[in-house]
């Protein structure tokens, strides 16, 4: 049997569907009964609702060790997708606890229970920092602790350290580092969970664009590659998963065209973004609101990071979906 954490999130729900479609026996853990509907809605979106009942749901929490004892019963393979995603400095403790301590609990149980293979869904945020002579960030790029990193990036890097530690203790592992993961376009205009927030902001009339860039990938590719890696003889490796490096303005324009709304038309320069995050910080503090822009997200908006996907293409012969075409296709679901 396969254990999936984070099954109510974007990647986890799509992974559950992919596993069930491929005839796997799957157990998924949840913390809140209401969140299971999020996963069910993914099955319904693809008109596969009849497959949802094949999942063995179990109430458990990666931070609650006793509950994991039941979750690991009869498990042979683990996909660890659960994580807290936040760029708000106020969530630093939660990020470290969920992403690092939670991952440590998962690998500790995997070692103790003799799990055959463990897949950890990390992030390109946990990859290294370019040296002056380097152009592309790869799986081998070294992490520089002296350079600034978001709390989220630090927590995912720390989580990876727990997985590598488990490797030294005998656990077979694979780590995937997806870029910005794009899934289906949400049906409502107030969805701010994960990458759905990108669609939501454009749909609500986002006026600004930046000329920074990063790696993007579709959720379909992420779950397909994770499944192929777990089925393969490949082990004890990490893989960067991006379809392409795309300028933010271009991805926003594609979304706007697909949704038939106005394209962002005002260029937000690095100076503007830095002023904006400072102003947003003051506003959120005065009015007790959640930060919408942080120093980390402001910097990311104009950074021009380039990521290489050559390793996974060589290992599996992977052909990625075109992100722009994917956005147009999912709009029809």
């Amino acid at each position: 049997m396969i254990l999936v954490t984070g099954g109510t999130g974007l990647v986890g729900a799509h992974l559950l569907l992919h596993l069930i479609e491929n005839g796997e026996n799957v157990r998924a853990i949840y913390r809140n009964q209401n969140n299971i509907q999020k996963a069910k809605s993914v099955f319904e979106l693809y008109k596969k609702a009849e497959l949802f009942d094949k999942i063995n749901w179990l109430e458990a929490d990666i931070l609650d060790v006793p509950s994991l004892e039941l979750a690991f019963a009869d498990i042979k393979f683990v996909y660890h997708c659960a994580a807290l995603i936040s760029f708000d400095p106020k969530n630093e403790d939660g990020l470290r606890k969920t992403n690092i301590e939670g991952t440590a609990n998962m690998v500790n149980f995997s070692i103790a229970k003799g799990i055959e293979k463990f897949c950890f869904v990390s992030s390109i945020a946990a990859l290294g920092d370019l040296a002056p002579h380097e152009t592309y960030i790869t799986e081998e790029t070294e992490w520089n602790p002296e350079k600034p990193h978001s709390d989220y990036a630090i927590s995912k890097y720390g989580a990876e350290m727990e997985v590598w530690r488990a490797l030294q203790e005998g656990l077979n592992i694979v780590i995937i580092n997806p870029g910005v993961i794009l899934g289906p376009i949400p049906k409502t205009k107030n969805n701010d969970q994960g990458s759905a927030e990108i669609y939501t902001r454009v749909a609500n009339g986002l006026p600004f664009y930046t000329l920074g860039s990063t790696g993007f990938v579709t959720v379909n590719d992420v779950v397909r590659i994770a499944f192929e890696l777990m089925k393969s003889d490949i082990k004890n490796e990490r893989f960067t998963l991006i379809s392409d490096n795309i300028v933010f303005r271009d991805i926003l324009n594609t979304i706007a065209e697909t949704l038939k709304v106005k394209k962002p038309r005002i260029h937000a320069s690095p100076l503007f973004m830095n002023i904006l995050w400072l102003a947003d910080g003051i506003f959120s503090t005065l009015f007790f609101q959640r930060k919408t822009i942080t120093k980390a997200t402001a910097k990311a908006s104009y950074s021009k990071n380039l990521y290489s996907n050559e390793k996974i293409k060589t290992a599996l012969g992977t052909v990625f979906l075109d992100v722009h075409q994917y956005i147009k296709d999912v709009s029809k679901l």
Side-chain angles (χ1 to χ4, degrees):
M1 179 178 278
I2 295 171
L3 176 63
V4 175
T5 71
T8 60
L10 174 64
V11 174
H14 280 80
L15 176 62
L16 289 174
L17 175 57
H18 191 78
L19 291 172
I20 296 297
E21 284 182 314
N22 282 275
E24 300 291 348
N25 192 14
V26 182
R27 174 179 298 146
I29 63 174
Y30 69 93
R31 291 183 302 164
N32 187 322
Q33 181 75 36
N34 293 333
N35 288 339
I36 295 179
Q37 182 57 41
K38 296 178 183 178
K40 189 175 183 179
S41 66
V42 169
F43 282 67
E44 292 170 343
L45 179 66
Y46 295 101
K47 297 178 173 55
K48 300 289 180 66
E50 73 280 0
L51 299 179
F52 186 77
D53 291 335
K54 294 187 178 183
I55 302 170
N56 172 216
W57 288 97
L58 179 70
E59 185 175 2
D61 189 332
I62 61 173
L63 295 175
D64 180 18
V65 173
S67 70
L68 291 179
E69 187 69 42
L70 291 174
F72 271 85
D74 303 318
I75 296 297
K76 290 187 177 181
F77 301 94
V78 173
Y79 290 84
H80 180 36
C81 308
L84 175 60
I85 302 174
S86 174
F87 295 94
D88 189 335
K90 293 180 180 179
N91 291 329
E92 178 183 359
D93 291 341
L95 284 165
R96 291 174 183 267
K97 190 170 184 64
T98 299
N99 296 347
I100 300 177
E101 183 181 324
T103 300
N105 290 339
M106 289 299 298
V107 297
N108 288 342
F109 265 95
S110 296
I111 294 167
K113 300 296 183 180
I115 296 303
E116 294 182 18
K117 202 169 183 180
F118 182 99
C119 176
F120 176 54
V121 181
S122 186
S123 166
I124 56 171
L127 295 175
D129 304 284
L130 285 176
H133 65 282
E134 295 175 320
T135 303
Y136 285 87
I137 298 173
T138 73
E139 295 80 0
E140 306 304 319
T141 303
E142 292 188 14
W143 174 278
N144 186 345
E146 295 183 359
K147 288 198 172 183
H149 300 95
S150 68
D151 292 323
Y152 172 69
I154 293 170
S155 73
K156 294 300 281 188
Y157 177 78
E160 284 195 18
M161 292 303 100
E162 293 294 340
V163 179
W164 291 121
R165 185 260 303 170
L167 166 62
Q168 298 301 316
E169 297 182 32
L171 180 64
N172 293 324
I173 62 100
V174 290
I175 297 175
I176 57 174
N177 296 83
V180 177
I181 303 172
L182 294 178
I185 297 174
K187 301 300 182 182
T188 61
K189 289 190 176 184
N190 59 354
N191 192 320
D192 62 354
Q193 294 190 343
S195 61
E197 185 173 3
I198 300 174
Y199 296 124
T200 300
R201 291 198 175 202
V202 175
N204 289 339
L206 178 69
F208 304 106
Y209 69 84
T210 69
L211 297 177
S213 63
T214 192
F216 286 83
V217 66
T218 71
V219 69
N220 302 59
D221 279 334
V222 173
V223 301
R224 174 177 58 85
I225 294 169
F227 181 70
E228 290 177 1
L229 285 171
M230 288 290 275
K231 284 292 188 180
S232 74
D233 293 328
I234 297 170
K235 60 183 179 181
N236 308 334
E237 299 277 356
R238 75 199 295 217
F239 297 91
T240 302
L241 306 188
I242 68 152
S243 171
D244 203 356
N245 296 289
I246 305 174
V247 175
F248 289 116
R249 177 188 60 187
D250 296 342
I251 203 79
L252 295 176
N253 283 347
T254 296
I255 294 171
E257 290 171 0
T258 302
L259 297 179
K260 295 180 173 56
V261 298
K262 287 184 178 180
K263 296 178 182 179
R265 59 198 179 280
I266 303 172
H267 175 220
S269 67
L271 175 61
F272 178 87
M273 291 303 298
N274 284 320
I275 293 173
L276 198 61
W277 81 258
L278 287 170
D280 184 69
I282 295 172
F283 179 86
S284 63
T285 300
L286 290 176
F287 297 98
F288 305 100
Q289 300 292 318
R290 181 176 69 89
K291 285 187 177 182
T292 57
I293 301 173
T294 67
K295 184 177 183 179
T297 55
K299 181 182 177 182
S301 71
Y302 57 78
S303 296
K304 297 181 179 180
N305 293 321
L306 298 176
Y307 298 88
S308 172
N309 59 11
E310 289 302 316
K311 184 176 180 180
I312 191 64
K313 288 164 70 175
T314 299
L316 294 179
T318 299
V319 177
F320 286 92
L321 296 173
D322 178 86
V323 170
H324 296 285
Q325 186 60 49
Y326 171 81
I327 293 170
K328 296 173 184 176
D329 291 341
V330 294
S331 69
K332 301 171 185 176
L333 291 175

